[in-house]
Amino acid sequence: DGVADALESLSGRELVITTSAAAEPFQRSHLKTGLLPHFSSWITREQYPREKPHPDVYLAALERSSFLPEEIVVVEDTPRGIQAARAAGLTAVAIPHGLTDGLDFAGADYVLGSIRELPELVSRL
């Protein structure tokens, strides 16, 4: 809940999806959401060697980006994702939900209660 509104609020920023899903199932499932137009690109499982908690997916994103690590904010919903982002030297924001509520997100720079809080946080960073 609130994803479309948050993405709309972040329009004009470069948004990239990093996923452990393979390209075909990723595109099949995400095309149905109507959210992909908010993102400039995505990195799928075939494009990096090791899965989270290794930082490889985020290092791949950094290689393709013109941004410095301190200019990037990663949004994650799992502790493994937070660990990967921090290992890549990136600011990590946790937004637990569903199955990840109650897990330990102590490694996150920020823990939000809802994605609706994300645009305000990003504007402050």
Side-chain angles (χ1 to χ4, degrees):
D1 184 40
V3 172
D5 292 337
L7 292 174
E8 187 63 35
S9 294
L10 294 169
S11 67
R13 297 180 183 270
E14 184 174 340
L15 304 177
V16 177
I17 295 175
T18 60
T19 180
S20 58
E24 193 277 323
F26 165 78
Q27 290 180 352
R28 186 177 59 239
S29 66
H30 282 76
L31 284 173
K32 297 174 187 176
T33 68
L35 299 175
L36 285 181
H38 292 282
F39 296 90
S40 58
S41 64
W42 42 86
I43 298 173
T44 57
R45 183 61 191 98
E46 300 87 353
Q47 298 171 308
Y48 56 93
R50 299 175 298 174
E51 292 187 32
K52 301 169 189 172
H54 298 286
D56 300 16
V57 66
Y58 294 118
L59 296 175
L62 274 168
E63 286 177 15
R64 297 173 187 198
S65 169
S66 61
F67 295 98
L68 298 172
E70 57 270 17
E71 298 173 312
I72 296 174
V73 175
V74 172
V75 177
E76 272 288 350
D77 64 350
T78 68
R80 290 171 54 93
I82 294 295
Q83 184 179 354
R86 298 299 295 140
L90 305 175
T91 298
V93 176
I95 306 177
H97 69 87
L99 296 174
T100 64
D101 279 339
L103 295 182
D104 182 7
F105 286 94
D109 294 292
Y110 304 91
V111 179
L112 304 181
S114 164
I115 196 162
R116 293 180 187 279
E117 300 171 37
L118 185 62
E120 181 183 339
L121 174 64
V122 168
S123 71
R124 292 192 327 249
L125 300 176

